[in-house]
Amino acid sequence: MTREIEFKSDITVNAIQSMGGDHMVVAAAKVSTCGNDALDFTDPERANENRGLINYLMKHRHGTPFEHAAMTFFVHAPIFVWREWHRHRIGFSYNEESGRYKTLDPIFYLPKYGRPMMKVEGWKPGRPKFLKCEDDDIHVSLEDNLRRSYKISYEMYERNLELGVDPGLARACLPVGIYSGCWVTCNPRSLMAFLSLRTHEPNATAVSYPLHEMELAARACEETLEVGYPLTYQAFNANGRVAP
Amino acid sequence: MTREIEFKSDITVNAIQSMGGDHMVVAAAKVSTCGNDALDFTDPERANENRGLINYLMKHRHGTPFEHAAMTFFVHAPIFVWREWHRHRIGFSYNEESGRYKTLDPIFYLPKYGRPMMKVEGWKPGRPKFLKCEDDDIHVSLEDNLRRSYKISYEMYERNLELGVDPGLARACLPVGIYSGCWVTCNPRSLMAFLSLRTHEPNATAVSYPLHEMELAARACEETLEVGYPLTYQAFNANGRVAP
Amino acid sequence: MTREIEFKSDITVNAIQSMGGDHMVVAAAKVSTCGNDALDFTDPERANENRGLINYLMKHRHGTPFEHAAMTFFVHAPIFVWREWHRHRIGFSYNEESGRYKTLDPIFYLPKYGRPMMKVEGWKPGRPKFLKCEDDDIHVSLEDNLRRSYKISYEMYERNLELGVDPGLARACLPVGIYSGCWVTCNPRSLMAFLSLRTHEPNATAVSYPLHEMELAARACEETLEVGYPLTYQAFNANGRVAP
Amino acid sequence: MTREIEFKSDITVNAIQSMGGDHMVVAAAKVSTCGNDALDFTDPERANENRGLINYLMKHRHGTPFEHAAMTFFVHAPIFVWREWHRHRIGFSYNEESGRYKTLDPIFYLPKYGRPMMKVEGWKPGRPKFLKCEDDDIHVSLEDNLRRSYKISYEMYERNLELGVDPGLARACLPVGIYSGCWVTCNPRSLMAFLSLRTHEPNATAVSYPLHEMELAARACEETLEVGYPLTYQAFNANGRVAP
C-alpha cells in the first residue's frame, strides 16, 4: 500500500456563498399584493416587521417566496451519505469528486463512540431508531471490521490503478464508507424539504427516521438556515417542520 | 372609468440580487478532479486562466457547474409574455402580482413603430419571421384596435370590482396585453436554456423563432449574463447557443 | 365580427391515457425491502393487501413510490385558470393551444349562477372565501360586463388578424376569460401536490383557498385519482391531504 | 461467511410498464395548432404520416411534446452505475433497494473479457477512451483484486450485522461494485437527455465519453425507445442525438 489510510467521523459542511435572506422572502411574497412596490421590502431592516407574513406563508404552504435565495455548501461526507442526499432532485445542484477523473483519497468513515446503533426491542424497519451502544466490545469489533475491510479495499484499488486500467473500473472495490467531496447549491425551500426528511424531531408533523450520518450533514446545513434566515427558520419549526 | 389608462412598449428587467460568477463555474467543475482543493478556484481572479475549461464544459454539455450561482430579476411585462416565460419550469422560480389579491393597474402594451409584424411571403407558422410594417395605416389601425379594446376591458373590470365580487372573477375580462410584475430567480444554466429558445440568432445550432416581446425580455436578461459571467457568455455563443 | 361568440361555464377535463395504479405504488415501495422480488407486487390483485403500506408511505411522506405512474388529461379552461395551473412546475408537462400558431376560438367563460363570489364580512385577502350571490342584479351586471368586454375584445382581435400582422401580437387584446386547450401529464405525487393547494377542504392539515374555477379543474382531476388509485386516494384524505 | 458470493457482468434492464408512443408525441404537438382536434391524432395509425412533424420538433428543440408518455424499468446494476444515474434529476423517478431496510445480496460486478479498459496513448481525462486489454495477465490481476476485496468486504458486512448494529452503518464497508436493484420511471424527453450524455456516438453533435457500465445500462434503455417510439428514435439520431 502506498498511501496511508485516514479515518474520520465528522461530516464537514462549509458554506461557500449565499444570496438572499428573510427580507427577500418577504419582498418576493409582497409582489402578489404590491407589484412593483415589493422592491421596498428588499431592505433587510424590514424583515422583522413581516415576521407574521413569513409565518403565514409557511403555515399555508405558499412555497415559492422561499425560492428567491440560494446558498452553496462544500461538503465532505462518505459515499453512503451522498447516495441518500443525491436523491433530492428539485432545487438541488451537485458537483462531486469523480473516481473517473481523480484518484480517490484514502479517507474512511468510522463512527464515533456514542453513535446510536443498537436496535431497540420491538424495532421496526419502518421507524429505525437506535440506542447508544453500551458494550465497548461491540464498538471495537465494528471498528475492526470496518478498518480491515477498508484497508484491503484501498489496497486493491491501488493495485488496480497500477495495472493502468480505467480508473472508473478500478474503483469498483472501494466501499461506500470512503469520503467524497461535493458542492451543493440549494435554496431555503429545497433545504427545508431536505431537513424535514433528513432530521429526526419527535414533534414534527411528519416524524422522520433518517440515517444518523445523513442527519449529521442535515443538521450542519440547518445551522446555516438558522443564522441566515432566522424568521424563516423559526416559522419552519413553529409549523411542524413541514416544508412549504 | 376611475383610473387613467397608461400605455407602455418596453419590457423592464431589473436585476435585484446575484450570487456567483465565472469563478464559481470553474471551482464547481474543479471538484471533479481536485476535490477539496477546488476551493482554491473560488478566487474571481482565477476565472480567466480557466477560460478553456468553461469552453470545454459548454461544448461537451457538462451542465451542472453552471448551476452553482443564482440571480433574481424584477420584470414588468405583459401577461402574454408571462404565459410563455412561465412554461420554463426547471431552475426558474416565480412570484407574480396577483389579480386575486390586488387591483391590477391599467398599464397596457402597445408595440413600438418598427416592431416586426408583417408576414413575409411564403411565411410558415413553424418559423414565424416578420418584417417591419412600412404602411403606417396598418400600425395606426392596430394601435386603435388595441387601445379601444383595452379601454373597454379595464372599464368593465372596474365595474365588476364595484359590484363587490371576487376579484379573481372580476378580472376575467382583462386582456393578456395588460402588464404584470414578477420576480424571477434562475441560474446561468437555466437562463441559457431560456435564451437558446427565446432569442433568434441565425447562427445558433438550433435556430429559434420567438415572439418579439418574449425576445425583448430575454435580451434584457442576456445582458446580465454577459456582464456577470463574461467567459460563460462567450462560450455559450461560441458553441452555438446550446445550453449545456 | 365574423365568428359567433360562445359562452361556457364548465372546465372540461378528459383523461386521455394512464399508466400504473395502487399496485405500482406498492411494488415501487417494496423494492426498498425486497429488491428484485418487488416485481411480485405488480399484480393489481395484491394492492389491497398492502393498504397499510400505502398509508404508511403517505403519513411518513415517502413520496417517490407515487411517481411510478402517469396520466394525461386534455383540459379546456379559461386562460386565467392556466395562469395558475402552469405555475406547477415539477411532475407536470404541458402542451397548450397557441395564439401564435392558430386563431383562437371565441369561447369565453361566464360564471354559473351560484358561483360563490360575494366577499364575506371580515374578508381577508389571505383567506379569500366567498358566499353565493343572492342578488340577481349583481350576477346579471357581472355577466353583462363580461359579455360586452369579451365581444369587443374578440372583434378587435379579428380586425387585427385582418391587418395581416403577427398573430402573437394581434391577440394582445384577448381576455384571460377566453378558453384554451391544453394537454397535461402528471403523476399521482405531483397531482396530490396540486390538489392539496388547489382544493378547499376545511379539514385539511393546511387549508387552501383556491380560485373557484381552479378548484373546478382540480376536482375533475381528483376524480381520476379516486377511481384509478383508490387506496392512494383514501390515504391522501386520511392524512390531511398533504402530498407525500 | 454465511452466504456465497455471486459475480455478474451484465446490467439487467426490464421494462415494467409504459404509456404513450409516437402518436402521443404528435397529438401533444398538434394541440398548439389544432386545439381540441389534436385528439384525432391519438390514433397510433396516424403517427407515421407525421414523421416530418416529429423531426421538426426534434430539430428545433420543441421538447415538451416528448413528455406526454412514460416508461418504468427495473434495473439491476452496481452501485457505481447508480451513483451516475441518480444524478439525472429531471423527469426521472427512482426507488432503490435499501441497505437500511434489507440485507444486501452478495452479488458483485466483474468486467467481461473485452471490456475496454486500457488507456490509449495521449489519453486525456476529459475524453476518457479505452482500448480492449490484450494482456490476459492484466485482466486476471484485476479480477483477482476485485474478488479478494469483494469477499472481505462482504464478510465484514455480515460480521457487522451479527453484532446487531444499525444496518445502515454495517454496510459502510460494502463496495460500489455490489449490485442494487432500482425502479426507474422516465419519459422520452428525459430518456433522450440521459442517452445523449451516457452513450458514446462519434457522430453525435456533442460527443460524450461515458463510463462503460453506464453506457451498457443506457443502451438497454435505448432499445425500449427504439421499439416503442421508432419515429422519435429515428429523429433523435438524425438530429445529432441532442435531446430536444
Side-chain angles (χ1 to χ4, degrees):
Chain A
M1 177 110 72
T2 57
R3 295 180 66 183
E4 204 172 338
I5 281 191
E6 227 178 282
F7 298 104
K8 191 173 163 179
S9 300
D10 292 319
I11 314 288
T12 328
V13 174
N14 290 312
I16 293 175
Q17 58 179 347
S18 87
M19 172 182 101
D22 287 327
H23 56 297
M24 285 300 179
V25 174
V26 168
K30 285 282 185 185
V31 77
S32 303
T33 50
C34 307
N36 190 48
D37 295 340
L39 291 170
D40 297 345
F41 293 88
T42 56
D43 175 2
E45 300 296 313
R46 299 195 63 180
N48 219 49
E49 70 191 64
N50 288 288
R51 176 188 297 268
L53 173 62
I54 290 179
N55 195 62
Y56 166 84
L57 296 171
M58 195 75 72
K59 185 176 175 189
H60 290 277
R61 305 198 73 194
H62 294 291
T64 50
F66 298 96
E67 296 177 26
H68 301 281
M71 60 200 94
T72 301
F73 301 109
F74 175 75
V75 184
H76 201 227
I79 283 179
F80 66 82
V81 169
W82 289 120
R83 295 259 295 141
E84 298 199 353
W85 200 329
H86 287 163
R87 300 292 301 281
H88 293 261
R89 296 159 294 173
I90 308 306
F92 272 96
S93 298
Y94 305 102
N95 271 274
E96 192 189 350
E97 209 172 321
S98 163
R100 294 183 71 209
Y101 297 127
K102 79 183 280 285
T103 300
L104 299 179
D105 297 323
I107 308 175
F108 295 92
Y109 179 74
L110 285 183
K112 280 191 186 149
Y113 274 88
R115 191 273 197 204
M117 62 170 82
M118 304 313 293
K119 294 181 184 175
V120 298
E121 243 191 73
W123 185 84
K124 283 191 203 171
R127 291 177 206 174
K129 282 191 74 171
F130 300 95
L131 299 176
K132 292 193 180 178
C133 177
E134 306 290 347
D135 181 348
D136 276 8
D137 288 353
I138 290 181
H139 194 99
V140 168
S141 295
L142 173 68
E143 215 176 75
D144 283 352
N145 296 342
L146 291 176
R147 280 172 190 275
R148 187 173 153 204
S149 179
Y150 289 161
K151 193 174 168 300
I152 295 284
S153 295
Y154 201 77
E155 210 175 311
M156 294 303 112
Y157 171 55
E158 287 192 315
R159 285 200 198 169
N160 289 344
L161 291 179
E162 276 159 27
L163 293 171
V165 303
D166 180 354
L169 176 58
R171 66 159 167 198
C173 54
L174 286 177
V176 296
I178 198 171
Y179 272 75
S180 178
C182 187
W183 279 42
V184 178
T185 294
C186 60
N187 63 54
R189 188 186 191 186
S190 60
L191 182 56
M192 288 187 283
F194 174 71
L195 295 177
S196 73
L197 291 169
R198 303 300 184 180
T199 60
H200 176 75
E201 285 282 354
N203 298 324
T205 300
V207 180
S208 294
Y209 297 86
L211 179 73
H212 179 77
E213 289 74 17
M214 185 74 253
E215 181 161 8
L216 288 183
R219 291 293 185 186
C221 296
E222 186 166 341
E223 280 176 38
T224 300
L225 188 72
E226 187 176 2
V227 172
Y229 303 77
L231 302 178
T232 295
Y233 183 65
Q234 203 175 331
F236 176 58
N237 282 310
N239 288 282
R241 294 174 71 91
V242 177
Chain B
M1 177 111 71
T2 57
R3 294 179 67 184
E4 203 171 338
I5 282 192
E6 226 178 282
F7 299 103
K8 191 173 163 179
S9 301
D10 292 320
I11 314 289
T12 329
V13 174
N14 290 313
I16 293 175
Q17 58 179 348
S18 87
M19 172 181 102
D22 288 327
H23 57 297
M24 286 299 180
V25 174
V26 167
K30 285 283 185 185
V31 78
S32 304
T33 50
C34 307
N36 191 47
D37 296 340
L39 292 170
D40 298 345
F41 293 89
T42 57
D43 175 2
E45 299 296 313
R46 298 194 63 181
N48 218 49
E49 70 191 62
N50 289 288
R51 176 188 298 268
L53 173 62
I54 291 180
N55 194 64
Y56 166 84
L57 297 171
M58 195 74 72
K59 184 175 175 189
H60 290 277
R61 305 197 72 192
H62 295 290
T64 50
F66 298 97
E67 296 177 25
H68 301 282
M71 61 199 94
T72 301
F73 302 108
F74 175 76
V75 184
H76 201 227
I79 283 179
F80 66 82
V81 167
W82 290 120
R83 295 261 293 142
E84 298 199 354
W85 199 329
H86 288 164
R87 300 291 301 281
H88 293 261
R89 295 159 292 172
I90 307 308
F92 272 96
S93 297
Y94 305 103
N95 272 274
E96 192 190 350
E97 211 173 319
S98 164
R100 295 182 70 209
Y101 297 128
K102 79 183 281 285
T103 300
L104 299 180
D105 298 322
I107 308 174
F108 296 92
Y109 178 74
L110 284 184
K112 279 190 187 151
Y113 275 88
R115 191 274 198 204
M117 61 170 83
M118 305 313 293
K119 294 181 186 176
V120 297
E121 243 190 73
W123 186 83
K124 283 190 202 172
R127 290 177 205 173
K129 282 192 72 172
F130 300 95
L131 299 177
K132 293 194 179 176
C133 177
E134 306 291 348
D135 180 348
D136 276 8
D137 288 354
I138 290 180
H139 194 99
V140 168
S141 296
L142 173 68
E143 214 176 79
D144 283 351
N145 296 342
L146 291 175
R147 280 172 190 273
R148 189 172 152 204
S149 179
Y150 288 160
K151 192 174 168 300
I152 294 283
S153 295
Y154 200 78
E155 211 176 308
M156 294 304 110
Y157 172 55
E158 286 192 317
R159 285 200 199 169
N160 290 344
L161 292 178
E162 276 158 30
L163 293 170
V165 302
D166 179 354
L169 177 58
R171 65 160 166 196
C173 55
L174 286 177
V176 295
I178 198 170
Y179 272 76
S180 178
C182 187
W183 278 43
V184 178
T185 293
C186 60
N187 63 53
R189 189 186 191 186
S190 60
L191 182 56
M192 288 187 283
F194 175 71
L195 294 178
S196 74
L197 291 168
R198 303 301 182 178
T199 59
H200 176 74
E201 286 282 352
N203 298 323
T205 301
V207 180
S208 294
Y209 297 85
L211 180 72
H212 179 76
E213 288 76 16
M214 185 73 253
E215 181 161 6
L216 287 182
R219 291 294 185 185
C221 296
E222 186 166 340
E223 280 175 37
T224 300
L225 188 72
E226 186 177 2
V227 171
Y229 303 77
L231 302 178
T232 295
Y233 183 65
Q234 202 175 334
F236 176 57
N237 281 310
N239 288 282
R241 295 174 70 92
V242 177
Chain C
M1 178 111 72
T2 57
R3 296 179 65 182
E4 205 172 339
I5 282 191
E6 227 178 281
F7 298 104
K8 192 172 163 179
S9 301
D10 293 319
I11 314 288
T12 328
V13 174
N14 289 313
I16 293 175
Q17 59 180 347
S18 86
M19 173 182 101
D22 288 328
H23 56 297
M24 286 299 179
V25 174
V26 168
K30 285 282 185 184
V31 78
S32 304
T33 50
C34 306
N36 190 47
D37 295 340
L39 291 170
D40 296 346
F41 293 88
T42 57
D43 175 3
E45 300 295 313
R46 300 196 62 181
N48 217 49
E49 70 190 63
N50 288 289
R51 175 190 298 268
L53 173 61
I54 290 179
N55 194 64
Y56 166 84
L57 297 172
M58 195 75 72
K59 185 176 175 188
H60 290 276
R61 307 198 70 194
H62 295 290
T64 51
F66 297 97
E67 297 177 25
H68 301 280
M71 59 198 95
T72 301
F73 302 109
F74 176 76
V75 184
H76 201 226
I79 283 179
F80 66 82
V81 168
W82 289 120
R83 295 258 297 143
E84 298 199 354
W85 201 327
H86 287 163
R87 299 292 301 280
H88 293 261
R89 294 159 293 172
I90 307 307
F92 272 96
S93 298
Y94 305 103
N95 272 275
E96 192 189 350
E97 209 173 319
S98 163
R100 296 182 69 208
Y101 297 126
K102 80 181 279 284
T103 300
L104 298 179
D105 297 323
I107 308 175
F108 296 92
Y109 179 74
L110 285 183
K112 279 190 188 151
Y113 275 88
R115 191 272 198 205
M117 62 170 83
M118 304 314 292
K119 294 181 185 176
V120 297
E121 244 191 71
W123 184 85
K124 281 190 202 171
R127 291 176 204 175
K129 282 192 73 172
F130 300 95
L131 299 177
K132 292 194 180 174
C133 177
E134 305 291 347
D135 181 347
D136 276 9
D137 289 352
I138 290 180
H139 194 99
V140 168
S141 296
L142 173 68
E143 215 177 76
D144 283 352
N145 296 342
L146 291 176
R147 281 173 191 273
R148 186 171 154 206
S149 178
Y150 288 160
K151 193 173 166 301
I152 294 283
S153 295
Y154 200 77
E155 211 175 310
M156 294 303 111
Y157 171 55
E158 286 192 316
R159 284 199 199 170
N160 290 344
L161 291 179
E162 277 159 28
L163 293 171
V165 303
D166 180 354
L169 176 58
R171 63 158 168 199
C173 55
L174 286 177
V176 296
I178 198 170
Y179 272 76
S180 178
C182 187
W183 279 43
V184 178
T185 293
C186 59
N187 63 54
R189 188 186 192 186
S190 59
L191 182 56
M192 288 187 282
F194 174 72
L195 294 177
S196 73
L197 291 169
R198 304 300 183 179
T199 60
H200 176 75
E201 285 282 354
N203 299 323
T205 301
V207 180
S208 295
Y209 296 87
L211 179 73
H212 179 76
E213 288 75 17
M214 185 72 254
E215 181 161 9
L216 288 183
R219 291 293 185 188
C221 296
E222 187 166 341
E223 279 176 38
T224 300
L225 188 72
E226 186 176 5
V227 172
Y229 302 78
L231 303 178
T232 295
Y233 183 66
Q234 202 174 333
F236 176 58
N237 282 309
N239 289 283
R241 294 173 72 90
V242 177
Chain D
M1 177 112 71
T2 57
R3 296 180 65 183
E4 205 172 337
I5 282 191
E6 225 178 282
F7 299 103
K8 192 173 162 177
S9 302
D10 292 320
I11 314 288
T12 330
V13 174
N14 290 312
I16 293 175
Q17 59 180 349
S18 85
M19 173 181 102
D22 288 327
H23 56 297
M24 286 299 180
V25 174
V26 168
K30 285 282 186 186
V31 77
S32 305
T33 50
C34 308
N36 190 47
D37 295 340
L39 292 169
D40 298 346
F41 293 88
T42 57
D43 175 2
E45 300 295 314
R46 298 195 64 179
N48 218 48
E49 70 191 62
N50 289 288
R51 174 188 297 267
L53 173 62
I54 289 179
N55 194 64
Y56 165 85
L57 297 171
M58 194 74 73
K59 185 175 175 189
H60 290 276
R61 308 199 68 194
H62 294 290
T64 50
F66 297 97
E67 296 177 26
H68 301 280
M71 61 200 94
T72 301
F73 302 107
F74 176 75
V75 183
H76 201 226
I79 283 179
F80 66 82
V81 168
W82 289 120
R83 296 258 295 142
E84 298 199 353
W85 200 328
H86 287 163
R87 300 291 301 280
H88 292 262
R89 295 159 293 173
I90 308 306
F92 272 95
S93 298
Y94 305 102
N95 272 274
E96 191 189 351
E97 210 172 319
S98 164
R100 296 182 70 208
Y101 297 127
K102 79 183 281 286
T103 300
L104 299 179
D105 297 323
I107 308 175
F108 296 92
Y109 179 74
L110 284 183
K112 280 191 187 150
Y113 274 89
R115 191 274 198 204
M117 61 170 83
M118 304 314 292
K119 294 183 186 174
V120 296
E121 245 191 72
W123 184 84
K124 283 191 204 170
R127 291 177 204 173
K129 283 192 73 172
F130 300 95
L131 300 177
K132 293 192 182 178
C133 177
E134 306 291 349
D135 179 348
D136 275 9
D137 288 354
I138 290 181
H139 194 99
V140 169
S141 296
L142 173 68
E143 215 176 78
D144 283 352
N145 296 341
L146 291 176
R147 281 173 190 273
R148 187 171 154 205
S149 178
Y150 288 160
K151 192 172 168 300
I152 294 284
S153 295
Y154 200 78
E155 211 175 309
M156 294 304 111
Y157 171 56
E158 287 191 317
R159 286 202 197 168
N160 290 343
L161 291 178
E162 276 159 28
L163 293 171
V165 303
D166 179 354
L169 177 58
R171 65 161 165 194
C173 55
L174 286 177
V176 295
I178 199 171
Y179 272 74
S180 178
C182 186
W183 279 43
V184 178
T185 294
C186 59
N187 63 53
R189 188 186 191 186
S190 60
L191 182 55
M192 288 188 283
F194 175 72
L195 295 177
S196 73
L197 291 169
R198 303 302 183 177
T199 59
H200 176 74
E201 286 282 353
N203 298 323
T205 300
V207 180
S208 294
Y209 296 85
L211 179 73
H212 179 76
E213 289 75 17
M214 186 71 254
E215 180 160 8
L216 287 182
R219 291 294 184 186
C221 296
E222 186 166 341
E223 280 176 37
T224 300
L225 188 73
E226 186 177 3
V227 171
Y229 302 77
L231 302 178
T232 295
Y233 183 65
Q234 201 175 335
F236 175 58
N237 281 309
N239 289 281
R241 296 173 71 91
V242 177

